Structure formats: structure tokens, C-alpha cells
């Protein structure tokens, strides 16, 4: 689904994106109908450059089978073969709305948790300290 990532941060980004990629695609389609390569490009332009084009098509197929998007063919602007474009259905609009609500609630909860726990830099040490700062282990 994603490009190879050598570090733990990249792997975490990949895992996080996997859980919301469907909603991201629906949001892109809501802007305007798109074809396959445009998704990869738009995601990269948004800072989500981890997704390969080959990962987009299976997800688009699942969204279409689920009735969230529909497709149509239109001539290529460059004069090449017709392209398959995707647009939202009514069910897709509802799914996107619900996905946005779920994401904002989830992201807010995680942000709050990380902000609260991130203030204590000693929390990640192996030794317990009392309020005087002396080790209790």
C-alpha cells in the first residue's frame, strides 16, 4: 500500500494513513471527479506522499462496490485513451460526513492525550521519582 519506509516515523505514518485513506479519497472526490493518478498526486501535494498508485485502485474498487462512489469514462485531456473518473454517490457523501466527524473526534482525543502526557518529559524513564525528584527504585 505504501512506499518502503526505512524509519519508525515513516512506518507509523503509513499505519495511520491506512486507517483513513478511504475517507481521504472520498474527500478528494468531493472536491471534483478524479481519475487514478490524480489521487496519488493530490495526496502527495497534501503531504501524504506514502501512497503508491497501485494501492489506490483496489480501494477505489471497494468504494465503488460499496456504493460510495460511481465511475464513468471520459476522454483524456492529452488525447490518449479515455480515463476512468470517480464521483461520490449520495451514500458516499454521507460516509464522508460521518468519516469527518469520526476523524475529528478521534484526532482531538489523541491530541489531547498527547498534549497532556507530553508535558512530563520524565514519564518515559525507567525509574520512579518522588516529588523531590529522588529515585524510589
Amino acid at each position: 500500500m505504501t512506499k518502503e519506509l526505512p524509519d519508525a516515523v515513516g512506518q507509523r505514518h503509513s499505519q495511520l494513513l491506512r486507517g483513513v485513506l478511504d475517507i481521504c479519497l472520498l474527500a478528494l472526490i468531493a472536491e471534483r471527479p478524479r481519475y487514478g493518478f490524480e489521487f496519488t498526486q493530490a495526496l502527495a501535494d497534501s503531504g501524504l506522499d506514502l501512497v503508491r498508485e497501485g494501492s489506490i485502485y483496489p480501494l477505489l474498487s471497494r468504494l465503488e462496490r460499496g456504493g460510495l462512489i460511481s465511475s464513468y469514462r471520459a476522454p483524456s485531456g492529452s488525447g490518449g485513451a479515455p480515463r476512468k473518473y470517480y464521483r461520490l454517490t449520495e451514500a458516499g457523501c454521507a460516509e464522508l460526513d460521518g468519516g469527518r466527524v469520526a476523524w475529528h473526534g478521534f484526532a482531538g482525543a489523541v491530541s489531547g492525550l498527547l498534549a497532556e502526557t507530553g508535558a512530563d518529559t520524565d514519564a518515559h524513564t525507567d525509574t520512579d521519582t518522588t516529588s523531590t525528584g529522588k529515585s524510589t527504585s
Side-chain angles (χ1 to χ4, degrees):
M1 170 171 165
T2 57
K3 296 177 184 176
E4 291 300 316
L5 303 166
D7 61 4
V9 172
Q11 290 175 2
R12 182 168 312 283
H13 287 171
S14 176
Q15 291 170 354
L16 291 170
L17 181 57
R18 232 178 247 132
V20 295
L21 186 56
D22 60 337
I23 299 300
C24 292
L25 294 183
L26 293 176
L28 290 172
I29 297 169
E31 289 178 352
R32 64 179 170 78
R34 295 179 188 263
Y35 64 91
F37 178 72
E38 287 183 311
F39 290 104
T40 307
Q41 202 163 18
L43 289 168
D45 291 347
S46 297
L48 302 173
D49 59 349
L50 304 173
V51 182
R52 295 184 307 223
E53 190 175 350
S55 302
I56 298 295
Y57 293 107
L59 183 50
L60 290 170
S61 292
R62 283 195 301 276
L63 293 172
E64 191 168 21
R65 281 192 313 271
L68 302 178
I69 61 175
S70 63
S71 63
Y72 63 95
R73 298 237 180 236
S76 169
S78 61
R83 292 183 172 143
K84 187 175 184 180
Y85 285 83
Y86 298 90
R87 61 181 158 219
L88 284 182
T89 63
E90 197 172 309
C93 288
E95 182 71 18
L96 175 57
D97 290 344
R100 284 180 169 144
V101 169
W103 172 255
H104 290 298
F106 178 77
V110 171
S111 293
L113 178 68
L114 295 179
E116 290 173 20
T117 60
D120 184 8
T121 57
D122 290 331
H124 64 276
T125 61
D126 288 337
T127 57
D128 294 329
T129 58
T130 63
S131 60
T132 62
K134 295 180 182 177
S135 176
T136 59
S137 0

